[in-house]
Every structure is written in C-alpha cells, then in structure tokens.
Amino acid sequence: MGLMLSACSTVGYYAHVAEGQGELVLHRRDVSKVVDDPSTDPSVKQRLAVAQQARRFASTELALPDNRSYTSYVQLDRPYVVWNVFATPRYSVAPITHCFLFAGCVAYRGYFSHDKAKHEAARLEAAGDDVYIGGVPAYSTLGWFADPILSSMMRWDDDELAGTIFHELAHQLIYVKDDSAFNESFATFVQEEGVRQWRRSRGLIAQDVRNKAMDDGFTQLVLDLRDRLKALYASGVDTSAMEAGKQREIADFRTRYARWRAQQWPDDHRYDAWVAAPINNARLLPFGLYDRWTPAFAALFRRDEEQWPAFYANVRALSRLPQAQREQALQQWLAASGQP
C-alpha cells in the first residue's frame, strides 16, 4: 500500500507518473466483464467475487465512499504496480522527502518501472545516501481516479484483499497533506476494524491475534534500532566512529532479534530473511509509519460507540487542526488507549 504522487517537481518524473497512471486507466475492465469472460482463470473469478463483496461492505457497513473505485480490474505484467524509493542521508534516520501538489510531502518517490526505481536509487547512492526500494501492490489516487483492483493484489488472502480496499477507500475519505503518520494510522485502523467486522458478518472466527503480536513485536525491535541510530548520529562523534557505531548497532539488532525470536516465536521465521538482508537507515523508514496513532483512533472509535459516521466526523475535525494541536490531541487519545 502507498500513495502515488499526484504531481511532481520534475517534468520527466511527472511524465512517467502520468504515463503509468494512464496505462492503468486504459487497461482496466469492469469486474463483471472479467468474471463473465470464459477465458478468465476460475481462481481470479473467485478472488474478484470476494473483492466485490468487500467493496459493497465498505460502503454499506463501514460508510466508506460509494464510487467506482475497485469495481474494475487490471492485469499487470509485473509483480508490483509501483516501486517506492526511500532515502536518507548516510548518518540520519530522517527521510529525504518529496513534496507534491495534492499528496503533500512524503518520504518516498513512486515509480511504475522497476528499472527507473533502480536508476533513481543508484543516483542517490552515488550521492552518498542510504537507499531502499520497496514494491507496492496497491496505491490510492485519493479519489482523483477510480482505482482498480490490480493483479498484484490477487496473491493476498481474503482478509488482506478486503482490508486493502478498506484502507485505500479510507484515504479517499480523509487525507491530510504532509502528515503521513496521521493518514496511514487512520487508514490502518479502518482496515483492521473493517476486517474484524467483515469477518463477523460472514460468520468467521476472529483473526489469530498471534500474527499481529509478532508483527507488533518485530516493529518495536526495528523502531528501537532506529532510536539507537538516531542517538548515535546526534552524538557528534567523527565519521569513522559513526560508521563503526552504525554497523555495531545493526549487528546488535540482529542479535536481539535472534534472541527474541528464539524465546517467543521459535517456529516462526517470517522475518528471518528481512533481518539477514543488508540493513541501512532507509530500510527502517516504513516501520511505524502505518500504526503510530492506530491505538488512538481505536480509542476514539470506542468513545463514538463504534458508529462510523460519528467517528469520521471527529477524525475530520482532527484533520483540520494545525499539526502540533492534532498530534497533541492524538497523544491524549493514545494515553486513553493505554498505549505509551
């Protein structure tokens, strides 16, 4: 998930984004026609049927926008629709941000071409920055276009497929320029609560909380590494000592991860490959972005007696506050949730 940028600071990049979005618009087909097509793979038909059930549920039960988004389908010729390029200075955990007319400032640039993303990453690396490329299966145009279901979304299970639709529609409903933590935390809450209600409506048992517990635990380990690196970079030591300290902190993180997994999750290896791969500042950026304020939104939802229209009205009121006041209010709701 991620937001494709709506405008850009260079003509070449804007042309690339316009071409990529135009290709999606050109190749989308109504879901009903894809399902009725005898040549469509039966497994794709089944997944599209689930997606349409989730799409109707989003509007009728979650009070999310009722429009043409996620009623069409695009078969891609690649595993991801977009690749996001994240970058930081070599001795900083602060992202190099990019500002755009409608999306505001965000911590990445998105490319429809993996080769273009790699070219941009190489340019940044040559300038001395830490760089990370992350594939994105779906993104939101914030309602500027009718976003389609993409073949890159089909490999998910039903919960992830439905949850992504809820998440991206939440971005269409409420979005604040220059505040990714607010936007992503809000959409993540809508996704998680929406999936919980959607499962209940289908007579399914609640999701396994162990999966989320491990995900949360790993995220906390990564955020702890980021905090340690931040303190190191602010220490004022010389470059050689800073580089040695950076590598030492990353090695210590791997040791803490191995101990944590062995003690709490001995049979779950989902993050082993991530930890074993090269780690730099940029690779840490996506962590915490999607859930910093999620418990605060959950507390607000409970205060509003789990009524979506009232909840959205209060979130919209928060969105209109200056950022400092908005974060202060969210911090109060975070405290009310019992989270630190």
Side-chain angles (χ1 to χ4, degrees):
M1 282 166 285
L3 299 171
M4 173 49 58
L5 310 177
S6 303
C8 105
S9 57
T10 66
V11 173
Y13 179 73
Y14 176 79
H16 168 70
V17 169
E19 181 182 4
Q21 180 61 44
E23 285 290 310
L24 295 185
V25 172
L26 180 64
H27 289 100
R28 63 190 179 188
R29 300 170 61 199
D30 285 347
V31 167
S32 59
K33 293 182 178 179
V34 177
V35 171
D36 290 341
D37 188 339
S39 67
T40 301
D41 187 294
S43 64
V44 173
K45 292 184 179 184
Q46 188 275 330
R47 303 312 312 292
L48 288 176
V50 170
Q52 293 311 280
Q53 293 168 13
R55 180 65 189 85
R56 288 190 293 272
F57 187 86
S59 296
T60 60
E61 303 300 326
L62 306 182
L64 289 168
D66 187 4
N67 55 31
R68 294 290 298 167
S69 289
Y70 307 108
T71 63
S72 62
Y73 177 70
V74 174
Q75 177 65 46
L76 300 171
D77 59 358
R78 54 193 188 271
Y80 297 105
V81 62
V82 168
W83 286 266
N84 284 342
V85 179
F86 297 86
T88 71
R90 184 165 181 80
Y91 300 117
S92 173
V93 294
I96 296 172
T97 58
H98 307 273
C99 298
F100 304 88
L101 181 60
F102 299 112
C105 298
V106 294
Y108 54 80
R109 282 182 106 178
Y111 293 84
F112 285 93
S113 162
H114 193 208
D115 286 343
K116 287 185 180 295
K118 290 191 294 183
H119 184 270
E120 174 66 5
R123 184 188 70 80
L124 292 164
E125 286 176 338
D129 296 324
D130 278 7
V131 181
Y132 167 63
I133 299 175
V136 179
Y139 69 87
S140 172
T141 60
L142 306 180
W144 289 94
F145 296 92
D147 297 321
I149 300 165
L150 303 168
S151 58
S152 51
M153 301 163 63
M154 291 292 100
R155 62 178 177 268
W156 292 328
D157 63 22
D158 288 356
D159 287 348
E160 190 70 17
L161 178 59
T164 298
I165 292 171
F166 303 157
H167 185 108
E168 304 302 351
L169 287 172
H171 281 315
Q172 291 188 18
L173 186 68
I174 300 173
Y175 182 85
V176 181
K177 290 175 65 173
D178 305 331
D179 197 341
S180 293
F182 177 90
N183 296 325
E184 296 301 343
S185 296
F186 164 66
T188 295
F189 169 74
V190 173
Q191 173 179 351
E192 293 177 351
E193 178 61 23
V195 168
R196 187 184 71 80
Q197 294 187 14
W198 189 63
R199 287 183 64 88
R200 186 176 60 195
S201 75
R202 302 170 75 206
L204 301 175
I205 62 173
Q207 291 175 296
D208 184 0
V209 296
R210 284 178 53 83
N211 284 335
K212 188 174 188 310
M214 186 180 187
D215 292 344
D216 290 348
F218 181 73
T219 295
Q220 194 53 54
L221 284 173
V222 174
L223 294 179
D224 178 63
L225 169 61
R226 196 161 70 191
D227 287 344
R228 290 166 183 255
L229 290 172
K230 183 178 181 180
L232 169 68
Y233 300 150
S235 67
V237 299
D238 61 39
T239 300
S240 61
M242 197 166 290
E243 179 61 30
K246 178 180 182 179
Q247 299 309 318
R248 183 173 58 252
E249 289 293 356
I250 291 171
D252 288 348
F253 161 77
R254 290 191 169 105
T255 299
R256 290 194 300 275
Y257 167 77
R259 183 169 57 247
W260 169 78
R261 191 181 64 71
Q263 291 175 349
Q264 300 189 35
W265 312 95
D267 299 321
D268 198 322
H269 300 269
R270 75 183 72 173
Y271 289 113
D272 287 9
W274 192 98
V275 173
I279 297 173
N280 62 23
N281 301 324
R283 201 151 178 254
L284 310 180
L285 287 177
F287 287 86
L289 178 65
Y290 285 82
D291 55 11
R292 177 184 177 188
W293 301 117
T294 301
F297 286 115
L300 180 58
F301 187 66
R302 290 192 296 270
R303 197 284 305 272
D304 290 330
E305 298 180 342
E306 302 188 357
Q307 298 299 307
W308 289 107
F311 170 69
Y312 294 144
N314 284 309
V315 173
R316 192 168 283 107
L318 285 173
S319 75
R320 296 183 179 124
L321 294 174
Q323 185 162 357
Q325 293 182 31
R326 183 165 59 247
E327 291 196 0
Q328 183 179 26
L330 287 168
Q331 193 63 54
Q332 292 173 348
W333 283 110
L334 195 63
S337 76
Q339 297 291 323

